[in-house]
Amino acid sequence: MTPSSPQNLILVGRVAGAFGVRGEVRIATFTEDPLTLTRFKVLTRQDGSPALTLTTARVAKEGVVARCVGIETKEAADALRGLRLYVPREALPEPDEDEFYLADLIGLTVRHVATDALIGKIKSVQNFGADDLLEITPALGGQTWYLPFTRAAVPEVKIAEGVVLADPPTLVGEPEGPDLEGTGDEEDAERHYD
């Protein structure tokens, strides 16, 4: 069996650490039904290599508590903390017509909803604890930036056409800080933002 390429893997969970002293593993799940993880024979690492094989699981706060092949102690379970768990894209059911997996957004072109101007491409989808963010690689080059994945900022997603229509906030890329205009400190303001 050849491992799936990283582009074909979907993130479904992350090991949160040990549960108890008998080697059970707490897994934060990113699936609608936490027990979906038990349907997959092997959960893989991002590179496609095997990570965990679940033998049993039960629903717990923010995910599942599972027994895994080869994990017999609290120390072994704790050593897995932070391990991201993936499954091959083809192992998941096809989404409904108006649905998609976040991984399907990666590589799509981003255009401005009002002007159709090319903004860039989606490099990744991140979540740092609040809402999902689209990491955008600018069409004209430069540093990537984050676009909130909200209805206001991303009013339309056209997976079949390979495009996302966005209305980015007007302050993206502009310097932050106090508005010193009109205070007589314009020279200081220019130096401040340099």
Side-chain angles (χ1 to χ4, degrees), residues 33-188:
D33 174 11
L35 291 176
T36 299
L37 269 69
T38 60
R39 295 184 196 151
F40 307 109
K41 290 183 179 180
V42 176
L43 299 170
T44 68
R45 299 174 190 277
Q46 189 171 12
D47 65 3
S49 64
L52 291 178
T53 301
L54 306 185
T55 57
T56 63
R58 65 184 183 278
V59 176
K61 184 179 179 183
E62 299 179 17
V64 297
V65 170
R67 302 248 346 119
C68 305
V69 173
I71 308 300
E72 304 295 330
T73 66
K74 177 185 183 338
E75 292 75 23
D78 270 335
L80 298 172
R81 184 185 311 269
L83 176 65
R84 294 174 182 264
L85 304 169
Y86 296 82
V87 296
R89 171 72 168 79
E90 56 272 9
L92 297 171
E94 282 302 313
D96 291 336
E97 186 176 326
D98 57 343
E99 295 179 341
F100 53 86
Y101 293 108
L102 291 176
D104 295 340
L105 299 173
I106 297 170
L108 295 185
T109 299
V110 181
R111 294 191 163 277
H112 195 280
V113 68
T115 64
D116 199 40
L118 180 62
I119 295 173
K121 285 196 178 287
I122 298 173
K123 178 179 179 181
S124 69
V125 180
Q126 301 291 333
N127 188 314
F128 301 112
D131 292 324
D132 292 319
L133 298 168
L134 304 178
E135 184 179 8
I136 308 295
T137 301
L140 300 175
Q143 188 172 3
T144 63
W145 55 277
Y146 291 101
L147 176 68
F149 190 46
T150 63
R151 178 75 62 192
V154 184
E156 209 167 341
V157 175
K158 299 180 178 183
I159 296 288
E161 296 175 33
V163 69
V164 170
L165 299 179
D167 188 12
T170 55
L171 296 177
V172 169
E174 293 185 9
E176 296 180 11
D179 183 5
L180 300 177
E181 198 171 322
T183 64
D185 294 338
E186 285 81 13
E187 284 183 20
D188 290 342

